[in-house]
Amino acid sequence: MDTISPEERSAVMRLVREKNTNPEMVVRRIVHSMGYRYRLHCRTLPGCPDLVFPSKKKVIFVHGCFWHRHKGCGRCRTPSSRQDYWIAKLEGNKKRDLKNQKKLLASGWSVLVIWECEIKDREGLSNRLREFLKNSVKSQSQA
Ligand SMILES: [Zn+2]
C-alpha cells in the first residue's frame, strides 16, 4: 500500500506540520493535572483510544486534522498529487473512526474526540475535558 515517493511524502509532511506541539501530550498533561488516571492506547478497544478511563467507561481520541479528515478545518487539505490515492486513504480513515466510535458507544463507553486544531485554545480545551470527565451519574438522576 505504501508506495508514495519521498517527494510526495515530504509534501504531505509539510501539510501536516506537527513539530512544535504534540496534541496528545497536551491533552495528557491537562488531564493529569486534573488528577485523573488513565491508560494509554488501549488496543483491546475499537480504534485503540488514546486515553482510556476504565472505571468511568470513558475514552478520549486525539485526532490529527489531516489524517482523520476534520470536516471544515483548514488543516484538512488533500495533497495536490495522487488525489485519488489520498482521498481513498483519508476517507477510509474517517470511516474507520466513525465505525469504532459507534462500537464504543454501543458497548456503553462515552467518547470524546479532541482535534489537533482545538489544542491551541487551552482554556476551552480544559473546560471540555473537565466537563467530559466529571462524574455525570448524579446529575443525570437529579435531572
Ligand atoms: Zn481541525
mmCIF file of all heavy atoms in Angstrom, residues 34 36 53-58 108 110 127-143:
data_model
loop_
_atom_site.group_PDB
_atom_site.id
_atom_site.type_symbol
_atom_site.label_atom_id
_atom_site.label_comp_id
_atom_site.label_asym_id
_atom_site.label_seq_id
_atom_site.Cartn_x
_atom_site.Cartn_y
_atom_site.Cartn_z
ATOM 1 N N MET A 34 -5.433 17.491 36.294
ATOM 2 C CA MET A 34 -6.734 17.469 36.960
ATOM 3 C C MET A 34 -6.842 16.295 37.922
ATOM 4 O O MET A 34 -7.853 16.121 38.605
ATOM 5 C CB MET A 34 -7.861 17.346 35.928
ATOM 6 C CG MET A 34 -8.048 18.585 35.079
ATOM 7 S SD MET A 34 -9.276 18.275 33.771
ATOM 8 C CE MET A 34 -9.241 19.874 32.936
ATOM 9 N N TYR A 36 -6.733 13.007 37.140
ATOM 10 C CA TYR A 36 -7.333 11.770 36.621
ATOM 11 C C TYR A 36 -6.253 10.769 36.229
ATOM 12 O O TYR A 36 -5.196 11.140 35.745
ATOM 13 C CB TYR A 36 -8.207 12.071 35.403
ATOM 14 C CG TYR A 36 -9.460 12.835 35.730
ATOM 15 C CD1 TYR A 36 -9.618 14.141 35.303
ATOM 16 C CD2 TYR A 36 -10.483 12.238 36.468
ATOM 17 C CE1 TYR A 36 -10.769 14.858 35.609
ATOM 18 C CE2 TYR A 36 -11.631 12.938 36.774
ATOM 19 C CZ TYR A 36 -11.776 14.248 36.338
ATOM 20 O OH TYR A 36 -12.911 14.945 36.640
ATOM 21 N N PHE A 53 -10.299 5.713 30.389
ATOM 22 C CA PHE A 53 -10.630 5.825 31.802
ATOM 23 C C PHE A 53 -11.554 4.663 32.150
ATOM 24 O O PHE A 53 -12.780 4.803 32.085
ATOM 25 C CB PHE A 53 -11.315 7.165 32.078
ATOM 26 C CG PHE A 53 -10.489 8.343 31.631
ATOM 27 C CD1 PHE A 53 -10.544 8.772 30.312
ATOM 28 C CD2 PHE A 53 -9.649 8.993 32.514
ATOM 29 C CE1 PHE A 53 -9.762 9.836 29.888
ATOM 30 C CE2 PHE A 53 -8.871 10.063 32.094
ATOM 31 C CZ PHE A 53 -8.929 10.477 30.774
ATOM 32 N N PRO A 54 -10.962 3.511 32.494
ATOM 33 C CA PRO A 54 -11.751 2.278 32.609
ATOM 34 C C PRO A 54 -12.875 2.374 33.635
ATOM 35 O O PRO A 54 -13.984 1.914 33.379
ATOM 36 C CB PRO A 54 -10.714 1.230 33.034
ATOM 37 C CG PRO A 54 -9.400 1.800 32.647
ATOM 38 C CD PRO A 54 -9.547 3.288 32.789
ATOM 39 N N SER A 55 -12.613 2.988 34.804
ATOM 40 C CA SER A 55 -13.643 2.997 35.841
ATOM 41 C C SER A 55 -14.799 3.915 35.464
ATOM 42 O O SER A 55 -15.923 3.750 35.921
ATOM 43 C CB SER A 55 -13.039 3.424 37.176
ATOM 44 O OG SER A 55 -12.485 4.711 37.047
ATOM 45 N N LYS A 56 -14.542 4.901 34.618
ATOM 46 C CA LYS A 56 -15.597 5.807 34.180
ATOM 47 C C LYS A 56 -16.262 5.331 32.894
ATOM 48 O O LYS A 56 -17.271 5.884 32.466
ATOM 49 C CB LYS A 56 -15.024 7.201 33.915
ATOM 50 C CG LYS A 56 -14.478 7.891 35.134
ATOM 51 C CD LYS A 56 -13.877 9.224 34.708
ATOM 52 C CE LYS A 56 -13.416 10.034 35.899
ATOM 53 N NZ LYS A 56 -14.541 10.448 36.759
ATOM 54 N N LYS A 57 -15.647 4.351 32.265
ATOM 55 C CA LYS A 57 -16.077 3.922 30.930
ATOM 56 C C LYS A 57 -16.079 5.093 29.959
ATOM 57 O O LYS A 57 -17.065 5.384 29.274
ATOM 58 C CB LYS A 57 -17.453 3.254 30.985
ATOM 59 C CG LYS A 57 -17.350 1.759 31.262
ATOM 60 C CD LYS A 57 -18.466 0.971 30.604
ATOM 61 C CE LYS A 57 -17.938 -0.090 29.656
ATOM 62 N NZ LYS A 57 -18.931 -0.838 28.919
ATOM 63 N N LYS A 58 -14.977 5.823 29.938
ATOM 64 C CA LYS A 58 -14.843 6.954 29.028
ATOM 65 C C LYS A 58 -13.525 6.856 28.277
ATOM 66 O O LYS A 58 -12.526 6.400 28.844
ATOM 67 C CB LYS A 58 -14.885 8.276 29.810
ATOM 68 C CG LYS A 58 -16.253 8.564 30.391
ATOM 69 C CD LYS A 58 -16.306 9.831 31.210
ATOM 70 C CE LYS A 58 -17.719 9.967 31.789
ATOM 71 N NZ LYS A 58 -17.887 11.155 32.608
ATOM 72 N N GLY A 108 -21.434 0.983 25.658
ATOM 73 C CA GLY A 108 -21.592 1.743 26.893
ATOM 74 C C GLY A 108 -20.479 2.722 27.216
ATOM 75 O O GLY A 108 -20.453 3.289 28.299
ATOM 76 N N SER A 110 -18.416 6.286 26.804
ATOM 77 C CA SER A 110 -18.566 7.662 26.350
ATOM 78 C C SER A 110 -17.310 8.046 25.582
ATOM 79 O O SER A 110 -16.206 7.691 25.988
ATOM 80 C CB SER A 110 -18.736 8.616 27.525
ATOM 81 O OG SER A 110 -19.837 8.223 28.304
ATOM 82 N N ASN A 127 -11.753 23.108 29.721
ATOM 83 C CA ASN A 127 -13.167 23.065 30.103
ATOM 84 C C ASN A 127 -13.870 21.852 29.525
ATOM 85 O O ASN A 127 -14.661 21.195 30.196
ATOM 86 C CB ASN A 127 -13.879 24.337 29.629
ATOM 87 C CG ASN A 127 -13.445 25.547 30.443
ATOM 88 O OD1 ASN A 127 -12.957 25.406 31.563
ATOM 89 N ND2 ASN A 127 -13.594 26.726 29.868
ATOM 90 N N ARG A 128 -13.585 21.577 28.263
ATOM 91 C CA ARG A 128 -14.226 20.414 27.643
ATOM 92 C C ARG A 128 -13.809 19.125 28.324
ATOM 93 O O ARG A 128 -14.616 18.223 28.537
ATOM 94 C CB ARG A 128 -13.866 20.353 26.152
ATOM 95 C CG ARG A 128 -14.699 21.288 25.315
ATOM 96 C CD ARG A 128 -14.356 21.138 23.869
ATOM 97 N NE ARG A 128 -14.744 19.832 23.345
ATOM 98 C CZ ARG A 128 -14.246 19.313 22.220
ATOM 99 N NH1 ARG A 128 -13.359 19.965 21.546
ATOM 100 N NH2 ARG A 128 -14.653 18.150 21.796
ATOM 101 N N LEU A 129 -12.525 19.025 28.650
ATOM 102 C CA LEU A 129 -12.033 17.811 29.292
ATOM 103 C C LEU A 129 -12.649 17.652 30.682
ATOM 104 O O LEU A 129 -13.075 16.567 31.054
ATOM 105 C CB LEU A 129 -10.493 17.850 29.386
ATOM 106 C CG LEU A 129 -9.762 17.725 28.049
ATOM 107 C CD1 LEU A 129 -8.288 18.072 28.200
ATOM 108 C CD2 LEU A 129 -9.904 16.313 27.474
ATOM 109 N N ARG A 130 -12.724 18.760 31.407
ATOM 110 C CA ARG A 130 -13.286 18.712 32.756
ATOM 111 C C ARG A 130 -14.755 18.272 32.701
ATOM 112 O O ARG A 130 -15.208 17.422 33.448
ATOM 113 C CB ARG A 130 -13.164 20.078 33.422
ATOM 114 C CG ARG A 130 -13.491 20.036 34.910
ATOM 115 C CD ARG A 130 -13.286 21.390 35.579
ATOM 116 N NE ARG A 130 -11.908 21.850 35.484
ATOM 117 C CZ ARG A 130 -11.510 22.930 34.797
ATOM 118 N NH1 ARG A 130 -12.378 23.651 34.131
ATOM 119 N NH2 ARG A 130 -10.245 23.281 34.774
ATOM 120 N N GLU A 131 -15.470 18.885 31.767
ATOM 121 C CA GLU A 131 -16.891 18.602 31.588
ATOM 122 C C GLU A 131 -17.110 17.120 31.231
ATOM 123 O O GLU A 131 -17.998 16.458 31.755
ATOM 124 C CB GLU A 131 -17.406 19.507 30.459
ATOM 125 C CG GLU A 131 -18.888 19.734 30.409
ATOM 126 C CD GLU A 131 -19.468 20.258 31.722
ATOM 127 O OE1 GLU A 131 -18.783 21.010 32.460
ATOM 128 O OE2 GLU A 131 -20.604 19.885 32.015
ATOM 129 N N PHE A 132 -16.264 16.635 30.356
ATOM 130 C CA PHE A 132 -16.403 15.250 29.898
ATOM 131 C C PHE A 132 -16.078 14.249 31.008
ATOM 132 O O PHE A 132 -16.719 13.207 31.133
ATOM 133 C CB PHE A 132 -15.481 15.011 28.692
ATOM 134 C CG PHE A 132 -15.487 13.591 28.182
ATOM 135 C CD1 PHE A 132 -16.604 13.090 27.529
ATOM 136 C CD2 PHE A 132 -14.380 12.766 28.329
ATOM 137 C CE1 PHE A 132 -16.619 11.783 27.045
ATOM 138 C CE2 PHE A 132 -14.387 11.458 27.853
ATOM 139 C CZ PHE A 132 -15.510 10.976 27.213
ATOM 140 N N LEU A 133 -15.080 14.578 31.817
ATOM 141 C CA LEU A 133 -14.578 13.593 32.772
ATOM 142 C C LEU A 133 -15.285 13.601 34.121
ATOM 143 O O LEU A 133 -15.178 12.654 34.878
ATOM 144 C CB LEU A 133 -13.069 13.798 32.985
ATOM 145 C CG LEU A 133 -12.203 13.425 31.774
ATOM 146 C CD1 LEU A 133 -10.777 13.877 31.980
ATOM 147 C CD2 LEU A 133 -12.258 11.925 31.506
ATOM 148 N N LYS A 134 -15.983 14.683 34.410
ATOM 149 C CA LYS A 134 -16.623 14.722 35.724
ATOM 150 C C LYS A 134 -17.730 13.662 35.775
ATOM 151 O O LYS A 134 -18.292 13.286 34.760
ATOM 152 C CB LYS A 134 -17.165 16.115 36.030
ATOM 153 C CG LYS A 134 -18.405 16.490 35.258
ATOM 154 C CD LYS A 134 -18.864 17.883 35.678
ATOM 155 C CE LYS A 134 -20.150 18.240 34.962
ATOM 156 N NZ LYS A 134 -20.490 19.648 35.077
ATOM 157 N N ASN A 135 -18.013 13.236 36.992
ATOM 158 C CA ASN A 135 -18.985 12.156 37.121
ATOM 159 C C ASN A 135 -20.388 12.646 36.818
ATOM 160 O O ASN A 135 -20.882 13.562 37.450
ATOM 161 C CB ASN A 135 -18.932 11.565 38.527
ATOM 162 C CG ASN A 135 -18.430 10.148 38.473
ATOM 163 O OD1 ASN A 135 -18.616 9.473 37.463
ATOM 164 N ND2 ASN A 135 -17.787 9.702 39.524
ATOM 165 N N SER A 136 -21.008 12.052 35.829
ATOM 166 C CA SER A 136 -22.293 12.558 35.382
ATOM 167 C C SER A 136 -23.457 11.748 35.941
ATOM 168 O O SER A 136 -24.602 12.071 35.721
ATOM 169 C CB SER A 136 -22.354 12.555 33.856
ATOM 170 O OG SER A 136 -22.047 11.263 33.397
ATOM 171 N N VAL A 137 -23.138 10.710 36.698
ATOM 172 C CA VAL A 137 -24.190 9.804 37.170
ATOM 173 C C VAL A 137 -25.209 10.536 38.024
ATOM 174 O O VAL A 137 -26.412 10.431 37.836
ATOM 175 C CB VAL A 137 -23.577 8.627 37.960
ATOM 176 C CG1 VAL A 137 -24.667 7.685 38.454
ATOM 177 C CG2 VAL A 137 -22.591 7.872 37.085
ATOM 178 N N LYS A 138 -24.701 11.358 38.971
ATOM 179 C CA LYS A 138 -25.558 12.050 39.891
ATOM 180 C C LYS A 138 -26.469 13.048 39.180
ATOM 181 O O LYS A 138 -27.661 13.075 39.389
ATOM 182 C CB LYS A 138 -24.723 12.775 40.941
ATOM 183 C CG LYS A 138 -25.003 12.255 42.340
ATOM 184 C CD LYS A 138 -24.211 13.044 43.358
ATOM 185 C CE LYS A 138 -24.414 12.430 44.740
ATOM 186 N NZ LYS A 138 -23.450 12.953 45.683
ATOM 187 N N SER A 139 -25.850 13.871 38.332
ATOM 188 C CA SER A 139 -26.622 14.923 37.685
ATOM 189 C C SER A 139 -27.710 14.329 36.787
ATOM 190 O O SER A 139 -28.757 14.928 36.600
ATOM 191 C CB SER A 139 -25.701 15.833 36.881
ATOM 192 O OG SER A 139 -25.016 15.090 35.924
ATOM 193 N N GLN A 140 -27.456 13.141 36.274
ATOM 194 C CA GLN A 140 -28.481 12.500 35.437
ATOM 195 C C GLN A 140 -29.706 12.127 36.263
ATOM 196 O O GLN A 140 -30.825 12.323 35.842
ATOM 197 C CB GLN A 140 -27.913 11.237 34.788
ATOM 198 C CG GLN A 140 -27.287 11.509 33.428
ATOM 199 C CD GLN A 140 -26.565 10.310 32.892
ATOM 200 O OE1 GLN A 140 -26.633 9.226 33.468
ATOM 201 N NE2 GLN A 140 -25.852 10.487 31.784
ATOM 202 N N SER A 141 -29.453 11.599 37.471
ATOM 203 C CA SER A 141 -30.589 11.161 38.283
ATOM 204 C C SER A 141 -31.341 12.347 38.874
ATOM 205 O O SER A 141 -32.501 12.241 39.214
ATOM 206 C CB SER A 141 -30.113 10.215 39.388
ATOM 207 O OG SER A 141 -29.252 10.923 40.264
ATOM 208 N N GLN A 142 -30.651 13.479 38.987
ATOM 209 C CA GLN A 142 -31.315 14.672 39.520
ATOM 210 C C GLN A 142 -32.125 15.391 38.457
ATOM 211 O O GLN A 142 -33.038 16.134 38.769
ATOM 212 C CB GLN A 142 -30.271 15.638 40.076
ATOM 213 C CG GLN A 142 -29.771 15.237 41.460
ATOM 214 C CD GLN A 142 -28.547 16.023 41.858
ATOM 215 O OE1 GLN A 142 -28.004 16.769 41.045
ATOM 216 N NE2 GLN A 142 -28.104 15.865 43.081
ATOM 217 N N ALA A 143 -31.793 15.177 37.237
ATOM 218 C CA ALA A 143 -32.376 15.974 36.148
ATOM 219 C C ALA A 143 -33.860 15.669 35.942
ATOM 220 O O ALA A 143 -34.394 14.735 36.453
ATOM 221 C CB ALA A 143 -31.639 15.687 34.854
#
